[in-house]
């Protein structure tokens, strides 16, 4: 089983930035796909961004131009750089990795509020 541990969440003011990290127990290059979902209370889970084994990336419409997904193969870490944060970005952010199956982290809370 792949272990995924998110970090970097917190409270930030609107317009601010945060960087989320997801530490993986295996090589990030070994996964077919890795990415981030988020879920706010009372709302459906939403795909935020993902990156394929080949390095291709895709983003949810609500975060395009503001978030950047990347991976560091030396550190086995997936990152999500978030800027121009809005109150509607408030959610728990979950890292996932697709190998033989989809594995999930436990999530990290992001709160955007003044």
């Amino acid at each position: 089983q792949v272990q995924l541990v998110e970090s970097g969440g917190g409270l930030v003011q609107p317009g601010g930035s945060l960087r989320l990290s997801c530490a993986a127990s295996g090589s990030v290059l070994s996964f077919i796909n890795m990415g981030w979902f988020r879920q706010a209370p009372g709302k459906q889970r939403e795909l935020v961004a993902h990156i394929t084994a080949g390095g291709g990336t895709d983003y949810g419409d609500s975060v395009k131009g503001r978030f950047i997904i990347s991976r560091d193969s030396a550190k086995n870490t997936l990152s999500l750089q978030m800027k121009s944060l809005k109150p509607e970005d408030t959610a728990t952010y979950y890292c996932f990795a697709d190998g033989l199956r989809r594995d999930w982290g436990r999530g990290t809370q992001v709160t955007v509020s003044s």
Side-chain angles (χ1 to χ4, degrees):
Q1 182 178 355
V2 175
Q3 303 295 324
L4 300 170
V5 180
E6 302 97 335
S7 61
L11 173 64
V12 63
Q13 292 187 341
S17 299
L18 276 178
R19 185 179 181 87
L20 305 184
S21 295
C22 174
S25 60
S27 170
V28 295
L29 297 181
S30 69
F31 300 116
I32 298 169
N33 195 32
M34 292 188 77
W36 298 88
F37 273 87
R38 68 185 182 186
Q39 187 163 24
K43 294 186 178 180
Q44 287 190 330
R45 187 176 59 182
E46 175 187 15
L47 177 63
V48 177
H50 69 98
I51 183 167
T52 67
T57 59
D58 197 15
Y59 298 88
D61 288 340
S62 62
V63 307
K64 284 181 180 177
R66 300 188 297 123
F67 291 10
I68 298 175
I69 189 170
S70 62
R71 62 189 178 190
D72 185 331
S73 59
K75 297 180 179 179
N76 289 329
T77 300
L78 179 74
S79 296
L80 184 70
Q81 179 67 50
M82 307 185 294
K83 64 179 183 179
S84 301
L85 284 162
K86 306 174 181 179
E88 50 263 44
D89 294 317
T90 295
T92 302
Y93 285 69
Y94 298 91
C95 171
F96 72 90
D98 293 332
L100 295 178
R101 67 179 192 186
R102 174 163 287 183
D103 286 291
W104 295 90
R106 293 190 173 185
T108 185
Q109 177 67 36
V110 172
T111 302
V112 185
S113 175
S114 55

